[in-house]
Amino acid sequence: QQKRNEELIRSGEQLRKTELALRTARKQLDAAFLNSPVIAFAQDRELRYTWLYNTNRALAQEGESFIGRTDEEILGEQGKPLADAKRAVVETGAGTRIVFLLSIGGSQYYYDTSIEPVRDESGRVTGVVCTALDITGQKKYEEQIQKLVEDLKIHQGELQVQTEELRQAEKEASETRDQYMDLYDYAPVGYLTMERNGVILEANLNAASLLGFERSKLIHSHFTNFIVADSQEAFCFHLKQVLQTGIRQKCEIRMHRSDGSIFYATLESVAVHSNGTRNSIRTSLSDITERKKAEKELRESEERFLKAFHSSPVPQAIASLPEERWVEVNDSFLRMLEYTRDEVIGQTSAELKIIDANERAGILRGVLEKGSEQNVELTVRTKTGKLVTVLSFNEKITLGGQEHCISTLLDITERKRVEQIKDEFIGMVSHELRTPLTVIIGALATAKDERASEDEREELLQEASSSAESLAGILDNMIELSRYQAGRLKLNKKAVRITEIAGMAVQRVRQKYDTHDIILDIPDEIPEIGADAGRIERVLYNLVENAVKYSPPGGQVRVFSALEKRGLVIGVRDSGQGISSEDQQKIFEPFARLRGSGAVGIGLGLVVCKRLVEAHGGRIWVESTPGEGCAFLFTVPHGKAEQDSKR
């Protein structure tokens, strides 16, 4: 037992000595790393830090926080390359070395890092031990050295390039001198060098060719020897301006060749300075005969164009581009818009508020992009405020060397009105034809019903007959008007008595209307006339029916006639409200109906009357005072019967 106690005492003593040695070794290791640039650390198999010796101040402040954490947890994404290298050492057992870049507090540090595996007694890798040397200063130095080397290479390359460029420039300068002499001699323009007094010192081959002399004979000749008399003064003034101002000057003169032929030439001259004075001039000489001829032809063409433009019956205007200011307008344009020439020249359509600004901008865009903008429907406003509908045709042209837009306006106001009337007419015809057809169909269908009495059937058939007559009247008027417009209206003139014709027309109206007092007041002594009985009856029927429509129920309608020198005058007077003077001007137009009359129809009756009366050589008119009824009168000239008279 005593022996065992002594061994325990010796073991404890040995353990204390070992611990003391370890603490001493740890202090020595800490002292060794304290001033060393090397960072030493160890990590377990999961790459969690187990101990760390660090001299980097930024890391030293957080050194204790490394223990138990991995590189990704501490450094985030920038720790991944270092962790991947350590993981490879753990997996393969082979040490490695990498240069690792670490960013801390906005500063970058480079570490030359050595990674070695740590093994247990069985040789199994249990972690890694690493040493990292801060080589940031070395890397920066190396980068500076590398940049200097690269800069030197660049400068060396630039120097070589400059040397080569200099050699090439010398070679090109020599070649350019030769080329310049060739270009000078064979240039398509004549070149001359003259003294202050106009004596020729140098001339190229083209100048000699233009003047028709050998070059040697031009030298020391006076340039004025080749100028036509009426251009001598212009050349002298040109020479004076060049020498006095020192500014490049141009002029056009007439010159003659050695064979006496005359040509137009343009001179462009500049003074040559020598010892601070302008002792000579250099001049280019060009033959512009063809250009002058083309300019003359262009002027004549423009004059012809403007004559046609101003005499055109179609409104036209010319505006500058892109400003759109009018520079020319013809009389037709001024008449349409009711302006004077002084009021529009220099103005724009937007400034005068003639058309909508957006519509004009669209036209301008089309002209500038496509060269034209055609068939554009616009509403223009005249000076007095009247609105006119036009079709606008716009084309880009060149006038006086400048781009312009010529606009042609076609007044379609009347056409649009006719189109509107036509549309309204179609609607009215559809309605007016449908109404009697509906009555006819309904009446006949009801009449077929066995439950209807004889009296009811008689009344229904009478309604159907009356509606059929109305329908026939509408169709007859349309047929007559169609024949007239197609030039196929034929009159079958015979000797007829107006009393008989008027009686038949009145009887037809009485059968249709039993609400008015229709009086036939035509003397028996009225002689026969040469007329188409059917057409005159159609005229009277239309007039009497209109009189009934526009007279109050129970009102009186009178048909009368009188013989005058100009022919037979026939009239129909009603007891209605009369017709205003404004309406009297248009009641004979197609589809016209009186406002507020309440009468139905499509407005063709009076038009047909007018066409049939005029076909007979007569005329038709209305006499009325508002509130006192009106009288429609027409004439049939004296004349013999004529078969198949075509109008």
Side-chain angles (χ1 to χ4, degrees):
Q1 181 68 34
Q2 183 179 357
K3 186 177 181 178
R4 187 179 300 143
N5 291 336
E6 289 176 354
E7 288 177 356
L8 289 172
I9 292 170
R10 283 194 298 271
S11 296
E13 186 65 27
Q14 185 65 35
L15 181 60
R16 283 193 298 274
K17 289 180 179 180
T18 300
E19 288 178 349
L20 179 61
L22 284 173
R23 285 196 296 271
T24 302
R26 178 64 180 266
K27 289 180 180 179
Q28 290 173 347
L29 183 61
D30 288 343
F33 278 108
L34 182 61
N35 296 315
S36 171
V38 177
I39 302 171
F41 50 90
Q43 292 168 274
D44 60 18
R45 188 173 179 84
E46 286 74 29
L47 300 182
R48 297 187 181 280
Y49 283 86
T50 56
W51 56 266
L52 171 69
Y53 290 98
N54 192 343
T55 59
N56 183 287
R57 293 182 179 180
L59 289 175
Q61 295 173 2
E62 302 179 3
E64 293 301 326
S65 64
F66 276 51
I67 304 304
R69 299 167 67 191
T70 66
D71 292 307
E72 288 98 329
E73 293 173 346
I74 299 168
L75 302 176
E77 281 295 322
Q78 66 174 335
K80 191 174 184 306
L82 183 60
D84 289 342
K86 294 174 182 177
R87 195 169 288 111
V89 172
V90 171
E91 292 174 354
T92 63
T96 187
R97 183 177 180 181
I98 65 170
V99 174
F100 173 61
L101 173 62
L102 179 63
S103 295
I104 303 174
S107 300
Q108 292 184 332
Y109 299 91
Y110 290 90
Y111 292 95
D112 183 0
T113 306
S114 177
I115 308 170
E116 295 296 334
V118 176
R119 302 177 188 273
D120 59 12
E121 293 177 355
S122 65
R124 176 175 171 271
V125 177
T126 60
V128 295
V129 63
C130 307
T131 58
L133 178 63
D134 186 349
I135 60 170
T136 304
Q138 177 183 339
K139 289 292 288 185
K140 291 182 178 178
Y141 178 72
E142 288 176 354
E143 290 175 356
Q144 292 174 355
I145 294 298
Q146 183 64 30
K147 186 175 184 306
L148 287 173
V149 170
E150 290 175 356
D151 288 345
L152 286 173
K153 288 181 179 179
I154 291 172
H155 293 324
Q156 183 180 7
E158 290 176 348
L159 184 59
Q160 290 174 347
V161 170
Q162 290 174 359
T163 302
E164 181 61 29
E165 288 176 349
L166 182 59
R167 284 197 296 267
Q168 185 66 26
E170 290 176 349
K171 179 182 177 181
E172 291 175 355
S174 177
E175 293 174 351
T176 300
R177 282 192 295 272
D178 295 338
Q179 292 172 357
Y180 169 76
M181 293 307 299
D182 289 341
L183 290 172
Y184 177 78
D185 272 337
Y186 297 103
V189 177
Y191 290 114
L192 300 159
T193 302
M194 294 181 283
E195 292 183 352
R196 294 174 60 90
N197 58 4
V199 174
I200 300 173
L201 299 176
E202 294 178 0
N204 70 348
L205 293 177
N206 192 272
S209 176
L210 283 174
L211 296 174
F213 287 91
E214 293 182 5
R215 177 160 54 177
S216 59
K217 292 185 178 180
L218 288 180
I219 306 304
H220 303 308
S221 298
H222 206 287
F223 189 70
T224 54
N225 294 340
F226 310 102
I227 300 176
V228 175
D230 59 11
S231 293
Q232 292 280 349
E233 184 177 350
F235 171 72
C236 292
F237 180 77
H238 169 74
L239 195 64
K240 181 179 179 182
Q241 287 293 103
V242 173
L243 293 171
Q244 285 183 349
T245 66
I247 300 173
R248 185 181 299 271
Q249 303 286 337
K250 292 179 68 174
C251 79
E252 294 180 2
I253 58 175
R254 292 201 307 150
M255 303 187 70
H256 58 77
R257 299 185 177 90
S258 59
D259 61 3
S261 60
I262 306 296
F263 69 98
Y264 284 92
T266 180
L267 306 180
E268 189 167 353
S269 305
V270 63
V272 179
H273 292 261
S274 177
N275 298 325
T277 60
R278 305 182 186 108
N279 295 320
S280 58
I281 65 170
R282 290 198 180 100
T283 299
S284 65
L285 173 67
S286 301
D287 185 348
I288 59 170
T289 305
E290 290 301 318
R291 193 195 80 189
K292 297 292 284 187
K293 181 179 178 182
E295 288 176 351
K296 180 181 178 183
E297 291 175 351
L298 179 61
R299 284 195 303 272
E300 292 174 349
S301 175
E302 289 181 352
E303 289 173 1
R304 290 193 297 271
F305 163 75
L306 289 175
K307 285 181 181 179
F309 171 84
H310 284 292
S311 62
S312 173
V314 179
Q316 290 183 307
I318 300 174
S320 61
L321 289 178
E323 300 85 1
E324 281 195 291
R325 296 200 175 277
W326 281 313
V327 296
E328 287 287 351
V329 293
N330 66 4
D331 292 340
S332 301
F333 181 87
L334 296 172
R335 282 194 297 272
M336 171 187 279
L337 297 181
E338 302 174 322
Y339 282 95
T340 66
R341 191 175 305 279
D342 291 340
E343 288 174 329
V344 298
I345 296 300
Q347 302 295 315
T348 69
S349 58
E351 290 172 346
L352 295 180
K353 298 180 180 179
I354 291 175
I355 66 172
D356 180 75
N358 292 330
E359 290 181 332
R360 188 59 190 171
I363 293 173
L364 176 62
R365 184 166 53 253
V367 170
L368 292 175
E369 293 176 358
K370 300 180 296 184
S372 67
E373 191 72 10
Q374 304 292 333
N375 211 34
V376 181
E377 185 174 317
L378 299 171
T379 299
V380 300
R381 185 184 299 275
T382 70
K383 182 180 178 180
T384 59
K386 184 175 69 175
L387 299 179
V388 181
T389 304
V390 300
L391 279 181
S392 174
F393 302 85
N394 307 273
E395 193 82 25
K396 183 162 66 174
I397 62 171
T398 300
L399 199 62
Q402 301 293 323
E403 286 190 344
H404 293 77
C405 174
I406 180 170
S407 299
T408 302
L409 305 181
L410 182 62
D411 187 349
I412 60 170
T413 306
E414 182 62 23
R415 190 183 84 184
K416 296 291 286 186
R417 188 185 71 84
V418 170
E419 287 176 355
Q420 182 180 359
I421 291 174
K422 180 187 70 176
D423 293 341
E424 293 175 355
F425 167 70
I426 292 173
M428 287 188 294
V429 167
S430 299
H431 174 74
E432 294 298 325
L433 293 179
R434 189 182 298 111
T435 300
L437 281 174
T438 301
V439 173
I440 293 170
I441 294 170
L444 293 177
T446 305
K448 289 192 302 182
D449 192 332
E450 295 179 353
R451 293 171 296 180
S453 66
E454 288 299 324
D455 291 341
E456 289 174 336
R457 285 193 180 93
E458 181 67 25
E459 184 179 351
L460 290 168
L461 291 174
Q462 182 61 38
E463 288 181 4
S465 176
S466 177
S467 295
E469 288 183 8
S470 296
L471 183 60
I474 293 172
L475 294 175
D476 286 343
N477 280 333
M478 292 178 65
I479 290 170
E480 292 287 25
L481 187 59
S482 174
R483 285 173 178 165
Y484 181 87
Q485 291 176 335
R488 294 185 290 105
L489 179 63
K490 296 180 180 180
L491 299 180
N492 185 18
K493 288 186 177 182
K494 295 180 180 179
V496 295
R497 295 185 63 83
I498 192 62
T499 307
E500 296 175 358
I501 297 173
M504 288 186 290
V506 168
Q507 183 60 30
R508 287 175 57 197
V509 176
R510 283 173 177 166
Q511 290 174 354
K512 188 174 180 181
Y513 304 96
D514 59 0
T515 56
H516 291 71
D517 181 18
I518 304 175
I519 300 172
L520 184 60
D521 185 15
I522 298 179
D524 292 335
E525 62 270 16
I526 295 294
E528 292 181 339
I529 57 172
D532 186 323
R535 268 48 186 271
I536 296 300
E537 182 184 349
R538 164 59 52 190
V539 173
L540 282 168
Y541 178 85
N542 286 348
L543 293 177
V544 174
E545 186 181 39
N546 271 1
V548 170
K549 288 180 180 179
Y550 288 96
S551 295
Q556 187 183 87
V557 174
R558 188 169 72 90
V559 181
F560 58 91
S561 175
L563 192 62
E564 297 183 355
K565 290 183 179 180
R566 55 186 174 179
L568 184 63
V569 178
I570 307 161
V572 177
R573 179 176 294 279
D574 63 36
S575 55
Q577 294 298 315
I579 303 174
S580 68
S581 58
E582 180 183 355
D583 285 336
Q584 288 179 33
Q585 302 299 319
K586 56 187 180 182
I587 56 174
F588 291 104
E589 295 178 4
F591 323 125
R593 293 187 298 176
L594 298 184
R595 293 171 295 178
S597 64
V600 297
I602 59 176
L604 284 181
L606 290 178
V607 180
V608 171
C609 292
K610 183 175 184 344
R611 300 291 186 259
L612 294 178
V613 168
E614 290 176 348
H616 279 82
R619 73 181 188 93
I620 187 170
W621 71 97
V622 62
E623 296 176 354
S624 176
T625 300
E628 299 181 7
C630 62
F632 283 87
L633 303 100
F634 66 93
T635 62
V636 179
H638 297 299
K640 296 180 180 180
E642 181 181 348
Q643 297 291 327
D644 289 339
S645 176
K646 184 175 180 179
R647 302 288 170 154

